[in-house]
Amino acid sequence: MQRTLVLVKPDGVKRGLSGEILSRFERRGLRIAALKMVWMDKALAERHYAVHREKPFFASLVTFITSGPVMAAVIEGREAVDVVRRMMGETDPIKSAPGTIRGDFGMELEENLVHGSDSVDNARQEIANFFQDGEIIAQKD
Ligand code: UDP
Ligand code: MG
């Protein structure tokens, strides 16, 4: 079993797509193990996107991701990191296939609706940025 961090980004929340996006993961057979609405501050945004600190788009990305609340979710399942990334599509929605979240709902490179961790190690770190252990609910059966 893997866990990954998903964020429905501020554009997705503003457009009323949080439920649609999260329900896709559930319908696929992944489980929501934790969920909360968070208005990220600059410090959390810079920590979450630390790997991009030197990129030309970093400042704009931090402004965007803090522009409104996100839905932060821990998504759990077999190969969850990879399955979620494939369901999201490419970083640029224009290059994303129909049937993916970005390919179905996005046109903008920055405002691309959704974040998903890109490795198990990064997922662990990213989840810890948003959730305490006690906020993540283990499956009973
Ligand atoms: N991004 C951007 N311009 C770029 C590349 C990325 O604005 O040239 C934004 C976009 O919102 C993307 C995020 O920065 O989702 C993080 O980039 P990354 O390369 O990690 O893409 P992801 O893992 O989200 O597909
Ligand atoms: Mg990334």
Side-chain angles (χ1 to χ4, degrees):
M1 261 332 166
Q2 283 180 3
R3 284 176 175 169
T4 189
L5 181 79
V6 165
L7 302 177
V8 179
K9 295 182 179 181
D11 57 324
V13 173
K14 279 185 190 129
R15 289 172 59 193
L17 292 170
S18 309
E20 162 72 38
I21 290 168
L22 292 170
S23 100
R24 285 182 176 221
F25 297 125
E26 289 192 299
R27 288 183 330 220
R28 180 70 188 264
L30 293 160
R31 193 177 74 85
I32 298 173
L35 178 65
K36 67 169 117 167
M37 194 177 218
V38 182
W39 197 320
M40 294 167 70
D41 63 14
K42 194 158 179 268
L44 176 57
E46 289 181 348
R47 193 173 332 126
H48 175 71
Y49 280 126
V51 64
H52 295 309
R53 200 173 287 273
E54 305 303 325
K55 304 272 174 62
F57 59 83
F58 182 71
S60 174
L61 177 58
V62 168
T63 299
F64 161 56
I65 206 72
T66 59
S67 67
V70 303
M71 289 290 180
V74 176
I75 299 289
E76 184 180 80
R78 190 163 69 86
E79 300 292 330
V81 169
D82 216 44
V83 172
V84 164
R85 293 283 299 187
R86 292 161 69 113
M87 291 176 72
M88 285 164 46
E90 304 297 316
T91 302
D92 187 347
I94 297 297
K95 301 193 178 98
S96 297
T100 65
I101 294 162
R102 289 164 172 170
D104 284 348
F105 301 118
M107 288 293 286
E108 303 294 330
L109 173 57
E110 184 172 71
E111 300 197 352
N112 61 1
L113 296 145
V114 65
H115 167 86
S117 310
D118 64 5
S119 71
V120 172
D121 279 352
N122 286 341
R124 192 170 296 119
Q125 186 55 57
E126 291 177 3
I127 288 168
N129 288 338
F130 284 84
F131 294 96
Q132 304 202 288
D133 285 349
E135 296 176 315
I136 303 170
I137 311 297
Q139 190 155 29
K140 264 219 154 153
D141 41 288

